[in-house]
Amino acid sequence: MKNHTILIVEDEPALVGALKSKLQRAGFNVLTASQGEEGLTMAKSHHPDLLLVDLLMPRMDGMTMIKKLREDSWGKSAQIMILTNFSDTEKAHEAKQFGVEQYLVKTDWKIEDVVTKIKEALA
Amino acid sequence: MNYENYVEKIVIEATPQDRRKAWRRATGLFVVLGVAALLQALTYRVKWIAPFQLSSLLSWQTTMYAAVISTMALTRYYSRRESIFLFIGITFFGVMFIVGYESFVISDFVVLRLPASTAQLAVSSWTASSSLLAILLLVSLWYLLRSRKNAPFSLKPAYLYMLTAGLAATIVVLTLVIRPPIPFYGQSLFGRPHELVLASLFLLLVLGYLYRGKWRSSSFDYWLTLSMVALFASHALFMAFSRELNDLEYVYALSGRLIAFMLVLVGLLVSSYKLFKQSQSRQRQYAALNVSLEREQTKSKRTLEVIQSKDWELGKNLEELNITKRAMLNVLEDFEAEKRKLTTEKAKDEAIITSIGEGLVVTDVERRVTFINRAGELMVGRTLAELRGKVWPEVLPAVTENGKPLTKTESPLYRAIQTVSTVSGGRGLYYSRPDGTKFPVGQTASSIVVNKKPIGGIVVFKDITVETEVDRAKTEFVSLASHQLRTPLSTVSWYAEMLLSGDAGKLGRDQRQYVQEVYQANRRMVELVNALLNVSRLELGTFAVEPITLDLVEQVKTVTGELAHQIEGKKQKLVERYDPDLPKIKADPNLVRIIFQNLVSNAVKYTPDKGTITVAISTAKKGHDFGGKILAKDSYIIEVKDTGFGIPRKQQHLIFTKLFRADNVKEKDTDGTGLGLYIIKSIVDQVGGTIHFVSRENKGTSFFVSIPLAGMPRRVGTKRLSAAREHA
């Protein structure tokens, strides 16, 4: 089984730690970026199988990053999942515009279920 | 008047009757002349001397006649003012004296006592009387002829009297003074040639009267003319041929004069009689006229009465009209006063409407604009003149943020008129100005009702840019705040989960328990944050309702599925009663889930172990008794019943308020937020449904929710409410 690479773009280190730990446990390769600019560069260079993107980040926020990624030749077909605490229908619609189907509110989801969701998405 | 005219006059004026009379009368004149001539011719050779007595007798008779004539004529003049009779009267009055004197002088008594030379006196008096007669009659003729032409000049009788007297005196003196040298020529043919002079006077008179022509119509004139002829005959045919006193010719002459005077008298009598006859007939005419006049009078009197009564009626009518007029004027005054009052009030109302800061549009029942106030004009950048008659939602549609206009049935104005109610426009609507810019608008539409029927609509709107900004700021704050709150919460949650799933090593029993407590507390906080977020969205009205066709049973089963674990744990029994033919509903799945989640989890939470939870869904018609309340419309009805702690009566009225938890459950279970029912109620109210409950402490509670059969109306909003935790 080929190991999938997940890129976590999240500015809260504690949450990054939790996700990374859980995902590694599930057998994924995990890359992290703490804000949009970094995430963009890493995505373009590493071509992860899935991106977990937080929306509210300093300097470049998640949505802008996604938009920019979609302009990239590889980026436009990358699999992206939004994982945020910002529950806003507008944002969810905007995300759909950029081809992001999954919009998860962190507090609504057990961490285990997040992992399951990722597995489903990559299957 | 010339001769032709004269003939003409006779010819034209004369009727055949008149002509016959004229001929008769003319004949008469000639007869008299003829008879006299004949008489003279026949007795020309006879020599006879009459006694003075005869002459005197004849003269006396003549005097009498003259007296009678004078009296009659003067009487006639003084009663009828016909001037000819004045002349006749005075003339014969004078003549009377002279002939009287004559008859005295030639009477036996006087003659035999006087010397022979005085026999002249007799002759003189004859001449004198004839002269006087002739002259005065000529004067009268002249006067009559003159007065025919022009207006008759007034004749003063006094002058005539004086003339007559003067003339008489003169003549008498003359005849006494002037004695013909030889009294008469005994041998020649013409014994008294001076008679011819007199005769010619009388002839002149005759001709004059013939010329005057009145002898044809007037009886008196005719007889006078006859007497003139007789006098002419007496002078020309008789006395002219007399050679001695009292000879036959002399007697003829005297007789002729007597006959002449008699003719005048007859003329007077005849004309008087004629006059009398005329006056009689005239009287009869007058009488007849009088009768008809009287008849006319009565008629006109009656007409007058009728007119008078009509007049009186008219007067009455006029009075009434006047009264009516006055009353109407009063009414008019009142009207004017009312009108003035109304005008001022109208002006005030208009001022008020014009001054209000919000836009006001009035339309007819077809939603065509009839009025827009000043504020409205300014807000939408169009004038009443431009808008009048146009359908308001067409010329100024309300659009959503992304420019999508509301449909006709969604338009608040349309709905307000159709349902005869007031409809609020909801948030997120914009009006556009002619320059293309948009502004967020808050509008309320209502219908104008007369006799329970809509006759038009009103839309009150205002630019809510500021409010929208404020709301947006609030919403963003809330979103941001909840995000900031959630971040540490999700951290705790996940790490607790990882601990509990043994990622950091197996936990001891106590460790597990402690972590569980932490985790539970954390979950409660998450729920609280979610609930607060929902509440703020409900309050700000920013939440969206996006109905889709869904199956209520499916939705409720998801919820019961989620709670299955808890129900099992508390050994509770779940009874499900779902109408098998339940039609699909048009509803927002999120909201439906929130409703079910809250109701069922409440039921589970607040019911002790081994209790029963019943969930029933079906439909019911308007008027159906639903949990003690009558349904206002056909609805889906949901009942969630439990056998739990119930709600104390004293606190039942607080159950839907924010953060409220009844005392009896606060002790037993610290877990609730106190916001669930507030949220459900807000949602249910917003979508046009109802919620109520029946509860008895320690016996149980039943919640009744109805949602209209028509489903949840779509509502534009920016946020969705958060349902409880989702699952993979």
Side-chain angles (χ1 to χ4, degrees):
Chain A
M1 182 189 73
K2 189 176 121 199
N3 274 11
H4 289 120
T5 315
I6 313 285
L7 171 61
I8 305 175
V9 188
E10 166 69 62
D11 65 327
E12 187 74 25
L15 290 171
V16 172
L19 282 167
K20 185 166 176 184
S21 155
K22 208 69 187 178
L23 284 167
Q24 278 174 339
R25 220 176 262 279
F28 290 102
N29 282 343
V30 180
L31 298 165
T32 64
S34 61
Q35 39 98 4
E37 195 63 59
E38 204 187 326
L40 199 60
T41 330
M42 288 190 78
K44 284 192 202 165
S45 55
H46 289 80
H47 292 192
D49 297 296
L50 187 127
L51 288 92
L52 276 180
V53 182
D54 182 27
L55 288 183
L56 262 67
M57 290 183 291
R59 283 193 286 278
M60 188 192 284
D61 67 283
M63 207 53 93
T64 319
M65 193 210 98
I66 292 170
K67 201 168 108 188
K68 288 214 151 114
L69 189 59
R70 285 304 189 213
E71 288 163 18
D72 179 69
S73 50
W74 171 84
K76 59 179 183 272
S77 51
Q79 192 141 27
I80 306 176
M81 223 188 256
I82 290 178
L83 188 61
T84 179
N85 267 329
F86 195 68
S87 61
D88 191 295
T89 36
E90 275 177 20
K91 282 284 189 242
H93 282 138
E94 213 183 324
K96 282 214 161 64
Q97 275 185 339
F98 292 122
V100 178
E101 289 303 314
Q102 302 293 353
Y103 185 106
L104 306 177
V105 176
K106 287 179 208 150
T107 46
D108 285 348
W109 293 86
K110 287 197 180 163
I111 195 164
E112 248 175 53
D113 295 335
V114 175
V115 174
T116 317
K117 214 62 186 160
I118 293 172
K119 282 190 185 155
E120 274 173 18
L122 287 173
Chain B
M1 192 195 273
N2 55 28
Y3 185 68
E4 280 100 358
N5 285 3
Y6 177 64
V7 169
E8 241 179 69
K9 195 165 148 279
I10 297 174
V11 169
I12 289 168
E13 284 179 13
T15 64
Q17 244 178 352
D18 290 338
R19 257 188 241 123
R20 257 182 270 135
K21 194 164 37 168
W23 275 116
R24 257 188 308 182
R25 286 186 176 177
T27 317
L29 294 169
F30 282 110
V31 159
V32 167
L33 204 57
V35 164
L38 198 67
L39 200 61
Q40 176 64 317
L42 288 174
T43 59
Y44 176 64
R45 288 280 166 209
V46 174
K47 282 199 188 314
W48 175 68
I49 303 291
F52 275 106
Q53 249 182 328
L54 183 62
S55 309
S56 170
L57 190 67
L58 288 169
S59 293
W60 274 121
Q61 282 199 322
T62 311
T63 313
M64 266 177 12
Y65 283 146
V68 173
I69 289 166
S70 154
T71 312
M72 274 188 76
L74 283 173
T75 313
R76 186 101 171 249
Y77 171 73
Y78 282 118
S79 65
R80 307 203 101 241
R81 286 274 157 188
E82 290 172 50
S83 34
I84 186 168
F85 294 111
L86 179 67
F87 282 104
I88 300 293
I90 295 176
T91 306
F92 279 87
F93 192 67
V95 164
M96 176 186 78
F97 279 112
I98 298 178
V99 178
Y101 164 73
E102 180 192 307
S103 47
F104 180 73
V105 151
I106 63 175
S107 72
D108 272 340
F109 180 75
V110 174
V111 162
L112 293 171
R113 282 166 175 76
L114 288 178
S117 56
T118 57
Q120 292 292 15
L121 295 170
V123 181
S124 314
S125 71
W126 162 264
T127 316
S129 72
S130 286
S131 315
L132 185 69
L133 187 63
I135 292 169
L136 283 174
L137 284 179
L138 277 171
V139 168
S140 82
L141 182 65
W142 170 81
Y143 171 78
L144 288 172
L145 287 177
R146 268 300 292 266
S147 69
R148 224 167 65 180
K149 287 205 193 129
N150 328 320
F153 57 84
S154 58
L155 178 75
K156 280 233 175 103
Y159 292 151
L160 205 55
Y161 279 118
M162 288 194 313
L163 176 69
T164 312
L167 211 58
T170 317
I171 288 170
V172 166
V173 164
L174 277 175
T175 52
L176 283 175
V177 165
I178 302 172
R179 290 173 190 221
I182 306 162
F184 38 84
Y185 302 104
Q187 299 309 310
S188 66
L189 182 68
F190 287 115
R192 307 173 199 246
H194 56 278
E195 290 296 318
L196 291 174
V197 173
L198 284 168
S200 63
L201 287 181
F202 283 110
L203 184 64
L204 203 67
L205 268 170
V206 170
L207 290 174
Y209 270 95
L210 282 178
Y211 170 74
R212 187 157 169 253
K214 282 218 111 178
W215 55 271
R216 288 178 287 118
S217 53
S218 156
S219 311
F220 179 71
D221 260 40
Y222 169 62
W223 290 99
L224 189 65
T225 317
L226 269 177
S227 84
M228 299 297 147
V229 171
L231 280 168
F232 164 73
S234 305
H235 285 88
L237 297 173
F238 300 138
M239 200 53 117
F241 293 97
S242 163
R243 293 189 199 92
E244 336 182 8
L245 204 66
N246 296 330
D247 64 357
L248 189 63
E249 280 83 8
Y250 188 80
V251 170
Y252 277 165
L254 253 61
S255 309
R257 187 175 67 178
L258 181 65
I259 289 170
F261 282 26
M262 210 177 357
L263 288 172
V264 173
L265 191 62
V266 169
L268 274 172
L269 284 168
V270 168
S271 79
S272 289
Y273 177 73
K274 272 233 172 104
L275 220 68
F276 167 74
K277 270 274 170 219
Q278 259 182 22
S279 83
Q280 241 197 352
S281 83
R282 223 172 276 145
Q283 256 196 336
R284 244 179 278 129
Q285 273 180 12
Y286 281 154
L289 217 71
N290 227 32
V291 167
S292 69
L293 252 169
E294 259 172 43
R295 239 181 279 139
E296 288 296 310
Q297 235 189 359
T298 5
K299 249 207 285 182
S300 62
K301 221 193 277 180
R302 240 177 276 142
T303 318
L304 205 79
E305 275 170 21
V306 169
I307 290 173
Q308 272 183 344
S309 75
K310 286 254 155 75
D311 187 52
W312 181 78
E313 268 181 39
L314 263 171
K316 263 210 332 187
N317 286 349
L318 218 82
E319 256 307 305
E320 281 181 21
L321 271 171
N322 270 338
I323 292 171
T324 314
K325 183 172 135 190
R326 254 174 274 133
M328 281 187 63
L329 278 173
N330 279 342
V331 171
L332 223 91
E333 268 178 33
D334 290 344
F335 272 152
E336 285 294 314
E338 271 305 309
K339 192 171 129 183
R340 257 176 275 129
K341 240 203 316 179
L342 280 171
T343 313
T344 12
E345 285 187 13
K346 184 166 176 250
K348 257 201 274 175
D349 288 343
E350 281 184 357
I352 292 172
I353 290 176
T354 310
S355 320
I356 55 177
E358 293 176 341
L360 179 86
V361 173
V362 182
T363 71
D364 63 12
V365 90
E366 300 294 327
R367 299 174 299 145
R368 287 186 292 246
V369 175
T370 58
F371 172 77
I372 180 169
N373 72 340
R374 187 92 191 97
E377 282 179 334
L378 287 170
M379 259 190 256
V380 305
R382 292 174 185 76
T383 63
L384 175 58
E386 291 167 16
L387 292 168
R388 200 195 299 272
K390 303 214 173 71
V391 179
W392 173 252
E394 280 170 22
V395 77
L396 194 63
V399 300
T400 56
E401 180 98 45
N402 30 13
K404 181 160 167 269
L406 295 180
T407 64
K408 178 172 172 185
T409 42
E410 283 171 337
S411 141
L413 179 59
Y414 178 80
R415 276 164 53 204
I417 292 176
Q418 286 297 106
T419 62
V420 192
S421 62
T422 304
V423 175
S424 286
R427 299 207 180 226
L429 294 176
Y430 292 79
Y431 277 163
S432 47
R433 298 197 192 86
D435 61 5
T437 56
K438 283 199 311 227
F439 65 92
V441 66
Q443 54 170 337
T444 307
S446 47
S447 56
I448 306 170
V449 178
V450 170
N451 288 340
K452 298 196 189 145
K453 282 225 198 76
I455 59 152
I458 298 180
V459 181
V460 179
F461 58 93
K462 81 191 260 227
D463 185 332
I464 51 168
T465 312
V466 171
E467 287 89 331
T468 311
E469 282 308 313
V470 166
D471 277 356
R472 202 185 298 252
K474 277 197 224 165
T475 312
E476 300 222 347
F477 168 75
V478 164
S479 287
L480 205 58
S482 54
H483 174 272
Q484 297 305 88
L485 286 169
R486 278 180 177 149
T487 305
L489 288 175
S490 43
T491 312
V492 171
S493 182
W494 283 352
Y495 279 103
E497 281 166 17
M498 287 198 294
L499 277 173
L500 286 170
S501 48
D503 293 0
K506 192 165 179 329
L507 293 173
R509 220 181 49 168
D510 286 349
Q511 284 170 331
R512 177 167 290 273
Q513 191 200 335
Y514 293 177
V515 173
Q516 278 278 32
E517 293 289 343
V518 167
Y519 185 64
Q520 292 297 353
N522 184 66
R523 285 315 316 157
R524 269 172 53 201
M525 280 201 33
V526 167
E527 270 175 41
L528 191 58
V529 169
N530 281 347
L532 284 171
L533 189 59
N534 282 348
V535 166
S536 91
R537 282 181 178 159
L538 283 167
E539 302 226 300
L540 290 172
T542 51
F543 75 96
V545 180
E546 288 162 5
I548 58 172
T549 314
L550 53 83
D551 188 345
L552 276 175
V553 178
E554 240 178 69
Q555 294 291 321
V556 79
K557 278 201 193 286
T558 322
V559 169
T560 51
E562 286 166 12
L563 292 163
H565 181 75
Q566 265 180 284
I567 293 170
E568 249 184 66
K570 286 176 97 169
K571 293 193 178 26
Q572 288 165 338
K573 185 162 166 239
L574 178 65
V575 175
E576 292 168 285
R577 284 211 305 267
Y578 307 133
D579 186 346
D581 305 314
L582 194 73
K584 295 230 198 296
I585 188 176
K586 261 197 15 244
D588 184 317
N590 212 36
L591 300 176
V592 168
R593 189 133 49 135
I594 292 173
I595 293 169
F596 280 137
Q597 271 172 356
N598 266 290
L599 287 177
V600 182
S601 68
N602 278 357
V604 170
K605 241 196 306 202
Y606 299 124
T607 304
D609 296 1
K610 303 207 177 85
T612 314
I613 318 265
T614 318
V615 180
I617 307 177
S618 61
T619 55
K621 287 235 173 280
K622 167 171 152 176
H624 174 86
D625 182 320
F626 180 47
K629 289 214 172 24
I630 306 293
L631 279 179
K633 9 185 170 165
D634 300 350
S635 314
Y636 294 91
I637 50 173
I638 302 157
E639 187 188 344
V640 176
K641 186 169 148 167
D642 65 52
T643 55
F645 307 123
I647 304 159
R649 178 160 289 244
K650 270 195 263 172
Q651 299 194 306
Q652 284 186 1
H653 65 287
L654 295 168
I655 211 69
F656 288 113
T657 55
K658 271 183 271 194
L659 299 168
F660 175 79
R661 301 195 68 227
D663 295 335
N664 61 338
V665 297
K666 258 200 272 198
E667 308 153 17
K668 296 194 176 62
D669 185 350
T670 46
D671 210 14
T673 56
L675 289 171
L677 284 174
Y678 172 80
I679 290 171
I680 304 181
K681 183 158 200 316
S682 302
I683 292 172
V684 166
D685 285 346
Q686 276 289 345
V687 301
T690 65
I691 178 167
H692 68 282
F693 66 92
V694 170
S695 181
R696 282 231 312 273
E697 205 170 348
N698 293 322
K699 283 281 191 299
T701 312
S702 289
F703 271 90
F704 304 96
V705 173
S706 78
I707 298 173
L709 215 52
M712 296 185 182
R714 189 167 114 77
R715 192 172 187 279
V716 173
T718 51
K719 309 286 180 210
R720 305 195 77 216
L721 297 182
S722 308
R725 170 157 268 190
E726 310 204 35
H727 289 268

